[in-house]
Amino acid sequence: MNEKDFEKITVADLTKGAQVNRATFYAHFNDKYELLDYIVNESASAVIEKHTSGNMKFDKEYIHQLVLAVCDYHQPPNFQCRSSYFSLIPQLKDKMLFELKKKLSKSLDLIYADIEKSFYVPIYASIILEAGYLWASGQVPFDKEEVAKKASLIILGE
């Protein structure tokens, strides 16, 4: 994606770059879209894990770190083909939202009953996702620490 738009990348390009044959590629993935899905999913999970270090306590610091994870995840990479990144934004947002919901649901297990979690988790995850994305896309005049602080305050009502 540093050399050409994702839509123009072929499986032959991928196998050549990875120095594997096509059979090896197809043993793991059906197509380049499945590979992309895997990479995006793994990167969303990894950036959250990096920021939270396995902490699952639903508090101001946890929310703060989730927002910072989203900021880092959505910060545009240094691609020459910028359109490749921008074409992936919906998929990136969907994967991050999915991961945020999983993490938030686990962290709220001891606080809310399942029926309440089904209400709060999507709302909290959406606030965190949007706060981080707004920062990464340059749509807010705050640094990412301030964005994380503001999102934490909104969610916790402080």
Side-chain angles (χ1 to χ4, degrees):
M1 289 178 62
N2 196 23
E3 297 170 9
K4 61 170 95 170
D5 288 334
F6 180 76
E7 292 301 322
K8 295 179 182 176
I9 296 172
T10 65
V11 171
D13 294 330
L14 296 169
T15 57
K16 181 180 176 186
Q19 298 178 343
V20 298
N21 63 38
R22 291 175 69 85
T24 301
F25 177 86
Y26 285 114
H28 298 280
F29 304 102
N30 289 321
D31 55 28
K32 68 180 186 178
Y33 299 99
E34 191 174 300
L35 170 64
L36 178 65
D37 192 54
Y38 173 80
I39 291 168
V40 169
N41 193 44
E42 289 298 309
S43 63
S45 181
V47 74
I48 289 174
E49 185 60 34
K50 177 184 169 194
H51 277 275
T52 62
S53 302
N55 173 32
M56 297 298 287
K57 184 179 178 193
F58 185 80
D59 60 11
K60 188 175 184 176
E61 180 59 23
Y62 183 68
I63 296 166
H64 190 92
Q65 291 304 317
L66 289 175
V67 174
L68 293 178
V70 175
C71 289
D72 290 350
Y73 179 75
H74 280 295
Q75 194 163 9
N78 193 20
F79 289 155
Q80 290 174 6
C81 295
R82 305 288 287 173
S83 63
S84 282
Y85 171 73
F86 293 115
S87 69
L88 298 177
I89 289 174
Q91 185 176 6
L92 293 170
K93 287 179 92 171
D94 286 347
K95 291 298 178 181
M96 179 52 78
L97 187 62
F98 177 79
E99 289 298 317
L100 286 170
K101 286 178 180 179
K102 277 189 349 189
K103 297 294 184 182
L104 286 166
S105 184
K106 287 180 185 175
S107 71
L108 292 169
D109 275 343
L110 300 175
I111 299 172
Y112 295 120
D114 285 345
I115 190 126
E116 292 172 305
K117 282 191 334 184
S118 69
F119 177 74
Y120 288 117
V121 166
I123 293 170
Y124 294 164
S126 295
I127 291 169
I128 292 167
L129 177 70
E130 198 60 29
Y133 179 74
L134 285 171
W135 174 82
S137 62
Q139 296 181 50
V140 294
F142 314 115
D143 66 23
K144 67 182 177 180
E145 289 291 331
E146 187 67 18
V147 167
K149 180 180 175 184
K150 288 179 182 300
S152 297
L153 293 174
I154 290 168
I155 290 170
L156 295 174
E158 296 178 1

